[in-house]
Amino acid sequence: MAPTRDPIELSPPDISAYQKGNTGIDYVTTYDSGVAGPHVMVNAVTHGNELCGAIVVDFLFQQGVKPTRGKLTLSFANYQAFLNFDARHPGMSRYVDEDFNRLWSTDVLDGPRDSTELRRAREMRPLIDTVDLLLDIHSMQTRAPALMLAGPLPKGRQLAGALLVPEYVVCDEGHAAGKRMRDYGDFGNPGSPKNALLVECGQHWESASADVAMQTTLRFLKHCDVVDPAFIDKHLAPTPPPQKFITVTDPITIKSDNFSFVDEFVGMEVIEKKGTVIGHDDADPVTTPHDECVLIMPSRRTAPGQTAVRLGQFISA
Ligand SMILES: [Zn+2]
């Protein structure tokens, strides 16, 4: 793997105190208010090298945040990968065996395969089945503006809009390589009130990503109305500028062993003209399918079957 070009401005928090938890699942703690209300979950380190979520969940624990109604679960999903984090090789701890966030379909979860991440997903699954509202905190490879991945359904877009942050909301179907936790079960069922969001807070190790993660989490908890509003207001930044909504028109899934972009895209670039070449998949040019094409999360991991980039266009909220 090529050495990282991005400075390491964040340190992984010590999460050892949260291993035992109270759910029977390591690194998963559920507080029950005893009062009727939703089961709300704030989840960190679905990818082990993404530090901002761990910093925020650690903060919530340190602050002794408890639900005023319903239940609040605080969790570190792929803690095994996270515990492997090494600042000298910060990209290496994304997962142990495979991507935890591509396993969340029943055929994979119930299937015969085995891996460190599948065991963890199967261990967490019964708890996830009881969650009404999930915020899954992530970060990105490149220094691009933060964005919310709201999923393909109107309910995801509405929840993203209710939080007011981050500035960009991307309405998307996920990845050909497998289903994300945010799309699992009733989160992806248009007839269910259950709902989930995935926030991409900025580059994995930039300090600003922790601020984005914090503000998004506070606004999520405020919207869910499960935490003392005085605690939220104490830490809340001023109301941000209006959000911009983007829908994914074309996920670009890599076909060959020889994929490259024509430029060092970081994400959220807007390509003015339809038909502009943005990369090559072996001999095939990859072109923009429409004018005003937004590049969403171009990847530096360019293996066949993986998503190279997703192309989108601005829509009204
Ligand atoms: Zn991630």
Side-chain angles (χ1 to χ4, degrees):
M1 178 175 285
T4 177
R5 285 166 282 181
D6 300 290
I8 312 287
E9 299 168 353
L10 297 174
S11 308
D14 176 4
I15 65 168
S16 56
Y18 316 126
Q19 176 175 1
K20 195 156 180 299
N22 62 2
T23 60
I25 307 167
D26 277 4
Y27 293 99
V28 179
T29 298
T30 300
Y31 298 114
D32 188 343
S33 67
V35 178
H39 182 183
V40 172
M41 180 170 180
V42 178
N43 180 64
V45 297
T46 283
H47 295 126
N49 60 331
E50 302 180 357
L51 305 181
C52 60
I55 289 166
V56 168
V57 171
D58 177 52
F59 172 80
L60 296 175
F61 274 120
Q62 299 274 354
Q63 296 288 313
V65 170
K66 302 288 192 307
T68 51
R69 66 180 192 114
K71 294 180 188 173
L72 175 63
T73 291
L74 303 177
S75 57
F76 302 89
N78 199 344
Y79 69 91
Q80 287 142 306
F82 172 78
L83 294 176
N84 289 337
F85 182 82
D86 179 344
R88 291 168 300 175
H89 308 284
M92 299 293 279
S93 53
R94 180 174 169 83
Y95 50 75
V96 178
D97 295 328
E98 63 177 322
D99 191 331
F100 179 86
N101 214 26
R102 302 288 182 269
L103 305 176
W104 290 88
S105 56
T106 49
D107 59 325
V108 174
L109 291 167
D110 292 333
R113 284 208 305 111
D114 182 44
S115 69
T116 301
E117 277 75 18
L118 258 170
R119 285 194 289 277
R120 179 60 171 168
R122 287 168 181 149
E123 179 183 44
M124 289 181 70
R125 183 183 182 184
L127 182 130
I128 302 289
D129 282 332
T130 70
V131 170
D132 297 300
L133 296 161
L134 165 69
L135 178 65
D136 192 19
I137 305 173
H138 290 245
S139 52
M140 300 183 274
Q141 295 176 58
T142 56
R143 283 199 174 226
L147 48 95
M148 187 70 86
L149 297 181
L153 300 175
K155 67 179 183 180
R157 192 186 310 183
Q158 283 156 12
L159 181 56
L163 302 198
L164 307 178
V165 293
E167 186 177 353
Y168 292 98
V169 176
V170 174
C171 308
D172 71 328
E173 293 275 357
H175 305 272
K179 207 172 209 179
R180 303 169 298 191
M181 188 163 65
R182 62 132 291 118
D183 302 311
Y184 167 70
D186 277 342
F187 299 142
N189 173 3
S192 166
K194 294 189 178 193
N195 216 340
L197 291 171
L198 188 170
V199 63
E200 299 280 3
C201 297
Q203 206 281 333
H204 297 319
W205 311 297
E206 71 173 312
S207 60
S209 69
D211 302 332
V212 172
M214 185 73 73
Q215 291 304 314
T216 306
T217 302
L218 292 170
R219 290 189 182 272
F220 173 71
L221 293 172
K222 184 183 173 92
H223 176 75
C224 296
D225 189 22
V226 289
V227 163
D228 177 7
F231 167 79
I232 305 271
D233 291 341
K234 196 170 131 193
H235 301 283
L236 205 61
T239 306
Q243 290 169 306
K244 299 182 179 78
F245 288 71
I246 298 160
T247 189
V248 171
T249 54
D250 299 81
I252 303 297
T253 304
I254 298 168
K255 295 191 279 269
S256 77
D257 283 318
N258 186 22
F259 185 99
S260 61
F261 288 107
V262 298
D263 206 343
E264 291 268 315
F265 298 121
V266 296
M268 308 316 287
E269 291 91 348
V270 180
I271 310 292
E272 208 180 319
K273 286 288 169 209
K274 173 181 174 171
T276 304
V277 176
I278 58 166
H280 293 90
D281 197 345
D282 210 2
D284 298 335
V286 177
T287 59
T288 51
H290 47 75
D291 290 349
E292 302 288 311
C293 183
V294 189
L295 308 189
I296 300 156
M297 296 180 71
S299 181
R300 292 174 187 166
R301 292 180 298 271
T302 52
Q306 299 297 310
T307 305
V309 64
R310 293 184 290 164
L311 307 178
Q313 63 189 160
F314 290 104
I315 54 172
S316 61

